[in-house]
Amino acid sequence: MWRGLTRPDNAGTDRVVPPTGFTAQLTVFAAAAMAFLAVFALALALATGRLAERWSSELAQSMTIRVSAPPEQIDDQTVTVMEVLKTTPGVASSRLLADPEVEKLLEPWFGPDVPVEALPVPRLIEVTENRDGLDAEALRLRLEGEAPGAVLDDHTGWRAPLVAAASRLRLLGLFSLVLIGAASAAMITLAAKASLAANGQVIKVLRLIGARDITIATAFVRRFTRRAAAGAALGTLLGMAAIWALPAVDEAGGFLTGLGFQGASWFWPLLIPVAAAAIGFAATRAAALRMLGEVR
């Protein structure tokens, strides 16, 4: 059957299958719609995968120290914390956040132009680990002894749920791709069966003149595979154009979290028409051989 699918139809057996009509339009439309949805599911899976990796790698190497103390002690305790960090193994760098940076962090809750200097806002120190890492528990105990107002936050409490959520979204995107493939196979199977049933008299005549079931099935497989590939190619192009037209992350205020394709990942959607052709081939072949075997 594969040789019959790839070789040119010199005998004209493809004429058994109507080139136009309801089944042809249904197959092309279903393949295009499913490919369009598959592009977005693939974009979701890739984007959440990048997000999980970025959160896992970047946040795992950073910590924050919050210095909360009475106004007359906060400067001294901040200096003490900075000195402690200089002698702590595993610390690559430490930086005290300036008032404008703290103001930017508070802006989502208090709005712009927050008077940081007039509020009892704690001092924030950003700590970056080196490749060897640092002992967070030892640093926490040392800070309790030398700067009681300093609290170490290694981001573990909220990093793990975020990474888990992004990983689950990626699995959801991949599962959506599987469902789209299954739905495509079901619709192509129904269209192939409808076409086989509509051409029952033609199939009987072909059998009378000596045509084998594999020859008849090849005609249906050839037509429906090409229709599925053509529809999927159209849907993929439309989906990629829609993804490309999405606003950038900065323009969307970070809401889209980088949904889309980056770099070489733009080649991944090009596999969707190939997968659609394979699904069309398998679904039509199974449906045709089953129906031809039942009808004598």
Side-chain angles (χ1 to χ4, degrees):
M1 179 173 287
W2 178 254
R3 290 194 300 269
L5 180 65
T6 55
R7 291 176 180 176
D9 182 30
N10 297 323
T13 55
D14 279 5
R15 287 178 293 180
V16 175
V17 187
T20 59
F22 173 73
T23 56
Q25 297 171 1
L26 175 63
T27 305
V28 174
F29 174 78
M34 290 302 172
F36 186 86
L37 296 177
V39 171
F40 279 88
L42 181 61
L44 174 65
L46 293 176
T48 51
R50 291 193 302 266
L51 195 63
E53 292 175 2
R54 184 168 69 248
W55 283 344
S56 181
S57 60
E58 292 182 0
L59 296 180
Q61 297 178 350
S62 65
M63 298 182 179
T64 303
I65 297 178
R66 184 177 70 255
V67 183
S68 301
E72 65 275 8
Q73 300 179 11
I74 192 168
D75 290 334
D76 293 338
Q77 291 205 23
T78 300
V79 173
T80 301
V81 172
M82 297 300 292
E83 292 297 325
V84 168
L85 293 174
K86 290 179 180 178
T87 58
T88 300
V91 176
S93 63
S94 59
R95 183 176 66 90
L96 177 65
L97 298 186
D99 288 347
E101 294 178 279
V102 178
E103 180 179 334
K104 188 175 181 181
L105 292 175
L106 296 176
E107 185 174 330
W109 288 272
F110 296 97
D113 302 324
V114 180
V116 177
E117 64 281 354
L119 296 175
V121 178
R123 303 285 175 83
L124 298 178
I125 301 173
E126 182 183 38
V127 182
T128 304
E129 303 179 34
N130 57 23
R131 294 183 178 180
D132 298 330
L134 62 86
D135 189 343
E137 189 60 30
L139 177 58
R140 186 176 288 110
L141 293 175
R142 187 178 176 188
L143 290 174
E144 289 178 0
E146 302 188 31
V151 178
L152 176 65
D153 181 10
D154 59 0
H155 306 156
T156 302
W158 57 276
R159 181 186 67 204
L162 287 177
V163 174
S167 300
R168 289 175 184 175
L169 278 175
R170 177 171 54 181
L171 290 177
L172 179 62
L174 295 175
F175 182 67
S176 299
L177 287 173
V178 175
L179 287 181
I180 289 171
S184 300
M187 284 186 284
I188 293 173
T189 299
L190 291 175
K193 286 185 176 180
S195 182
L196 283 163
N199 289 273
Q201 295 298 326
V202 178
I203 292 173
K204 291 180 179 179
V205 172
L206 289 174
R207 281 175 168 169
L208 289 175
I209 62 176
R212 298 183 302 166
D213 284 355
I214 192 65
T215 303
I216 301 171
T218 300
F220 284 89
V221 171
R222 192 198 311 270
R223 278 282 173 86
F224 279 89
T225 300
R226 291 175 178 175
R227 290 170 184 172
L234 176 61
T236 299
L237 291 178
L238 293 176
M240 293 176 68
I243 291 291
W244 179 80
L246 288 175
V249 180
D250 51 352
E251 297 175 359
F255 176 73
L256 297 176
T257 62
L259 178 64
F261 305 104
Q262 296 179 1
S265 63
W266 278 100
F267 290 100
W268 282 107
L270 300 180
L271 296 178
I272 294 177
V274 179
I279 292 173
F281 173 82
T284 310
R285 180 182 184 276
L289 293 179
R290 185 182 301 112
M291 287 196 68
L292 290 173
E294 295 173 355
V295 178
R296 292 295 177 184

